Amino acid sequence: MEARNLLQIEKLGKDYSSKSKALTDVTLSLPRGQFVSVIGSSGAGKSTLLRCINRLIDPNAGSIVFDGKDVAGMGRRELRQVRRRISMIFQHYNLVYRSTSIENVLQGRLGYKSTIAGVLGLYSEEEKERAFTILDQLGLAEFAYTRTDQLSGGQKQRVGIARALLQDPLLILADEPIASLDPKASQMIMEHLRWAVDTLGITCLVNLHQVDYAIEFSDRILALKKGHLVFDGTPDELDARAISDIYGTPYVEERAVRGGLFENLEEEVLATVGAA
């Protein structure tokens, strides 16, 4: 693996059955400090790809090399150590709702704790201070001691981001992080993820249904279609014809271009894409 690549995937395959191929021969590499979105219809293999990277799902074929280590061939102990540096953000937050925001954030350190320390919630003062600082950076300082079941969806997702950041990750995997949020909250979540890339140098790999957000925030966009990688390029290269090919929707010729984004893109193209 070249030194500049944090993640190298070669010919990755995942079959759920003899008739169900979720991923086929997916090959890609991610450098450090890049924001990469993965788009595609429901069932295209986006979530499977992310879960293979951190071995929540075991692939059937191919290799996954993260930070110079072969993830696909690791045992449980080695995998636990690698997962410390790979955070995951979920569509439905995966928070402990009876616990406060800061208690949820501190769970980001569990990978560094013994089983007993984790069960007893034994965190250092430095870890607690860092958890509060991250919540403050994400605009949640006033909710640090609020139970997360009392937060809005956008606030819950920011707690999820804070928990991911407390892991000190090299890579954040975000699986549809804005699918359940309104446009204002979605914009804020994407801005925070972009901040993590630009300010902290973390690589983000984000599954999205919203193509307009992928275009706005990404350095690079990948597209999956029926388990195959069918697009790998910049936002400027993702034109209306490429979008129609990815989603199998009618091609709508763009009428105007604005800095690489198409005027009326949402109205003309994403009306069908968003329902995919």
Side-chain angles (χ1 to χ4, degrees):
M1 184 178 71
E2 297 181 21
R4 68 175 180 272
N5 288 332
L6 176 66
L7 179 70
Q8 184 73 45
I9 296 173
E10 297 284 348
K11 295 186 177 301
L12 186 65
K14 175 60 183 178
D15 301 345
Y16 288 110
S17 70
S18 59
K19 297 181 179 180
S20 176
K21 294 184 179 297
L23 297 172
T24 303
D25 289 336
V26 173
T27 295
L28 61 94
S29 61
L30 298 184
R32 295 175 184 268
Q34 191 175 69
F35 193 115
V36 182
S37 292
V38 186
I39 62 172
S41 301
S42 296
K46 301 188 302 297
S47 293
T48 298
L49 174 62
L50 264 61
R51 283 165 168 74
C52 282
I53 291 171
N54 64 5
R55 287 275 306 280
L56 289 178
I57 293 174
D58 289 328
N60 300 115
S63 65
I64 303 166
V65 178
F66 170 75
D67 197 26
K69 303 176 181 67
D70 181 6
V71 176
M74 282 184 176
R76 183 175 297 180
R77 180 173 297 180
E78 288 180 295
L79 186 59
R80 185 173 186 264
Q81 293 178 340
V82 166
R83 281 176 174 164
R84 294 172 180 173
R85 309 309 301 274
I86 304 176
S87 299
M88 191 153 190
I89 297 168
F90 301 88
Q91 175 182 346
H92 298 296
Y93 321 124
N94 281 28
L95 302 177
V96 179
Y97 289 126
R98 66 178 180 274
S99 299
T100 64
S101 297
I102 199 162
E103 287 170 337
N104 274 276
V105 173
L106 283 166
Q107 290 175 4
R109 301 303 296 173
L110 287 177
Y112 297 87
K113 302 289 181 182
S114 68
T115 301
I116 294 176
V119 169
L120 297 178
L122 300 179
Y123 301 103
S124 68
E125 288 304 312
E126 180 184 1
E127 288 172 328
K128 294 175 184 177
E129 289 174 6
R130 285 193 59 223
F132 187 86
T133 297
I134 293 172
L135 282 172
D136 188 30
Q137 290 171 324
L138 299 181
L140 290 174
E142 64 182 295
F143 300 102
Y145 301 103
T146 301
R147 279 176 48 138
T148 52
D149 58 1
Q150 299 176 27
L151 302 179
S152 69
Q155 290 167 337
K156 289 173 183 174
Q157 196 59 287
R158 279 187 278 164
V159 172
I161 293 174
R163 178 180 59 193
L165 292 176
L166 197 65
Q167 281 185 234
D168 290 325
L170 297 174
L171 173 66
I172 289 178
L173 305 174
D175 192 14
E176 303 289 355
I178 60 174
S180 304
L181 305 180
D182 61 48
K184 182 178 180 180
S186 296
Q187 182 78 16
M188 181 175 292
I189 293 302
M190 294 299 289
E191 288 174 353
H192 285 310
L193 291 175
R194 183 74 244 188
W195 170 82
V197 173
D198 294 338
T199 304
L200 305 177
I202 298 169
T203 299
C204 281
L205 185 62
V206 184
N207 285 349
L208 292 171
H209 275 304
Q210 300 87 342
V211 179
D212 50 344
Y213 283 114
I215 292 172
E216 180 179 355
F217 288 96
S218 303
D219 299 309
R220 177 177 164 203
I221 297 174
L222 310 175
L224 291 172
K225 184 176 183 179
K226 296 180 179 179
H228 294 268
L229 183 64
V230 296
F231 181 88
D232 183 350
T234 67
D236 287 347
E237 293 170 327
L238 186 70
D239 58 18
R241 187 177 294 280
I243 292 172
S244 70
D245 289 342
I246 293 164
Y247 288 94
T249 56
Y251 169 62
V252 179
E253 185 177 359
E254 61 273 13
R255 290 203 277 267
V257 178
R258 181 188 71 246
L261 302 179
F262 304 114
E263 293 288 359
N264 301 317
L265 180 64
E266 184 174 356
E267 293 83 356
E268 294 187 349
V269 179
L270 297 183
T272 49
V273 171

